[in-house]
Amino acid sequence: MYRVLFVCHEETGMPLWVDALSNRSDWNAYVPDSYKQLFSSVPTLHVSPELMLTTSIRHDFINVSPWVEAILELDMDKARKAYQDMLAKGFQCWRAWDPKKLPGFISYVQQNYPGDYTGIVVFSHLGHTPGMFGPQYKGSYVKATEAYKWYNEESYKLTRGASEFLIQGIELEFPIVSFIGDFYIQNGKWVVDPKATNPGLKDLRKVLENVYRVLLTRSRKGMLLYFPMDPKDPRDWKLKETYEWFVSMLSLKSNDK
């Protein structure tokens, strides 16, 4: 009998799978070359170079991973170059901080890319400030049984967003990737908001990095990067440095929406 596991990174990451398989001889573990040393203690290890995927099918064969990793590393030069490479291949990003701009982005996608999908994608753990996505917004909880309805009927209405859990099973051509203040740039470093806590997690920072790694890689053609801020309330400008970092990285004034 063959048992197949598609391994993904969570809080503990790959070492969790190593621990689980190290004392199991009834499982066959297949890994690419890059994981050979990490899984060396697994008794039934099989190394296959073909398992390392080097081309992204999701993004029309545009590899966005170097761009996302550069963002998480706050490597401006690397991120800017990666984005320019993506842009040259047809991938594009816009940015916004005003929730009043979101309906306009929805209309833009519908008019210019008929049949393509958009909608809010957002981290699930931090409570949302009223008005962050507009008065119609009801949160990011969507039951698995409602995923199809959300995708086809609700996503463009901005009444609910897809969390990191739901969006892993759904792909949007132009998602609204939302930075809501749980993970933001302060004094040149990524920091975790003290309110974004979860008693069951040992390393919330690592989880947040993985969450935004998911959110930033669900699109197929491009995305709106959204940083909700109220210009009338200086206390609400926690995301100002984050927004300005992305403005500099994208470096295309015409991409404001």
Side-chain angles (χ1 to χ4, degrees), residues 2-134:
Y2 290 92
R3 299 182 178 93
V4 179
L5 294 179
F6 292 94
V7 180
C8 61
H9 291 273
E10 296 295 345
E11 182 180 10
T12 306
M14 287 295 183
L16 181 66
W17 289 97
V18 175
D19 291 341
L21 295 170
S22 291
N23 297 316
R24 298 295 299 265
S25 60
D26 56 335
W27 285 75
N28 286 316
Y30 295 85
V31 301
D33 288 325
S34 56
Y35 287 113
K36 181 179 179 179
Q37 184 175 357
L38 178 62
F39 281 80
S40 60
S41 62
V42 176
T44 55
L45 182 66
H46 303 271
V47 179
S48 176
E50 291 80 8
L51 291 176
M52 180 55 69
L53 303 180
T54 58
T55 302
S56 173
I57 298 176
R58 174 185 295 120
H59 309 287
D60 291 338
F61 301 98
I62 300 173
N63 187 6
V64 305
S65 293
W67 179 63
V68 174
E69 295 307 313
I71 290 172
L72 295 174
E73 296 168 5
L74 289 182
D75 188 327
M76 175 63 75
D77 292 339
K78 183 179 176 181
R80 185 177 288 147
K81 182 181 183 304
Y83 177 65
Q84 294 298 331
D85 290 343
M86 292 158 51
L87 193 65
K89 296 176 181 177
F91 198 89
Q92 54 188 324
C93 293
W94 298 269
R95 56 185 181 267
W97 54 263
D98 186 349
K100 295 179 181 179
K101 298 290 186 179
L102 300 186
F105 178 73
I106 297 294
S107 297
Y108 175 82
V109 171
Q110 291 178 324
Q111 292 173 11
N112 291 276
Y113 304 95
D116 286 355
Y117 287 83
T118 182
I120 295 167
V121 297
V122 63
F123 179 46
S124 61
H125 285 259
L126 189 67
H128 308 297
T129 303
M132 182 176 285
F133 297 103

Side-chain angles (χ1 to χ4, degrees), residues 19-254:
D19 291 341
L21 295 170
S22 291
N23 297 316
R24 298 295 299 265
S25 60
D26 56 335
W27 285 75
N28 286 316
Y30 295 85
V31 301
D33 288 325
S34 56
Y35 287 113
K36 181 179 179 179
Q37 184 175 357
L38 178 62
F39 281 80
S40 60
S41 62
V42 176
T44 55
L45 182 66
H46 303 271
V47 179
S48 176
E50 291 80 8
L51 291 176
M52 180 55 69
L53 303 180
T54 58
T55 302
S56 173
I57 298 176
R58 174 185 295 120
H59 309 287
D60 291 338
F61 301 98
I62 300 173
N63 187 6
V64 305
S65 293
W67 179 63
V68 174
E69 295 307 313
I71 290 172
L72 295 174
E73 296 168 5
L74 289 182
D75 188 327
M76 175 63 75
D77 292 339
K78 183 179 176 181
R80 185 177 288 147
K81 182 181 183 304
Y83 177 65
Q84 294 298 331
D85 290 343
M86 292 158 51
L87 193 65
K89 296 176 181 177
F91 198 89
Q92 54 188 324
C93 293
W94 298 269
R95 56 185 181 267
W97 54 263
D98 186 349
K100 295 179 181 179
K101 298 290 186 179
L102 300 186
F105 178 73
I106 297 294
S107 297
Y108 175 82
V109 171
Q110 291 178 324
Q111 292 173 11
N112 291 276
Y113 304 95
D116 286 355
Y117 287 83
T118 182
I120 295 167
V121 297
V122 63
F123 179 46
S124 61
H125 285 259
L126 189 67
H128 308 297
T129 303
M132 182 176 285
F133 297 103
Q136 78 293 337
Y137 189 71
K138 300 176 183 178
S140 63
Y141 180 68
V142 179
K143 296 180 181 179
T145 54
E146 299 175 340
Y148 182 80
K149 179 181 179 181
W150 179 88
Y151 181 74
N152 282 286
E153 301 176 16
E154 190 177 355
S155 60
Y156 67 93
K157 297 178 182 178
L158 306 179
T159 53
R160 287 190 293 178
S163 73
E164 68 275 16
F165 304 111
L166 181 69
I167 202 61
Q168 291 189 62
I170 296 176
E171 296 171 358
L172 304 173
E173 279 76 17
F174 296 97
I176 299 171
V177 180
S178 309
F179 289 77
I180 56 175
D182 46 2
F183 195 50
Y184 58 98
I185 301 171
Q186 185 178 71
N187 298 323
K189 297 180 180 179
W190 284 110
V191 298
V192 177
D193 188 281
K195 297 179 182 179
T197 59
N198 187 315
L201 301 176
K202 296 179 181 179
D203 190 343
L204 183 59
R205 180 185 177 86
K206 181 179 291 186
V207 170
L208 279 166
E209 287 181 355
N210 286 336
V211 166
Y212 280 94
R213 186 175 281 111
V214 168
L215 299 183
L216 287 164
T217 55
R218 296 305 98 183
S219 64
R220 298 195 66 246
K221 296 181 179 179
M223 68 186 76
L224 173 67
L225 296 164
Y226 178 54
F227 310 84
M229 294 180 285
D230 184 353
K232 298 180 181 179
D233 187 354
R235 296 172 299 177
D236 192 49
W237 280 76
K238 178 173 63 175
L239 285 166
K240 185 174 185 292
E241 185 176 345
T242 313
Y243 176 74
E244 291 177 344
W245 191 92
F246 276 86
V247 168
S248 179
M249 184 269 294
L250 297 175
S251 66
L252 293 173
K253 294 182 180 179
S254 62

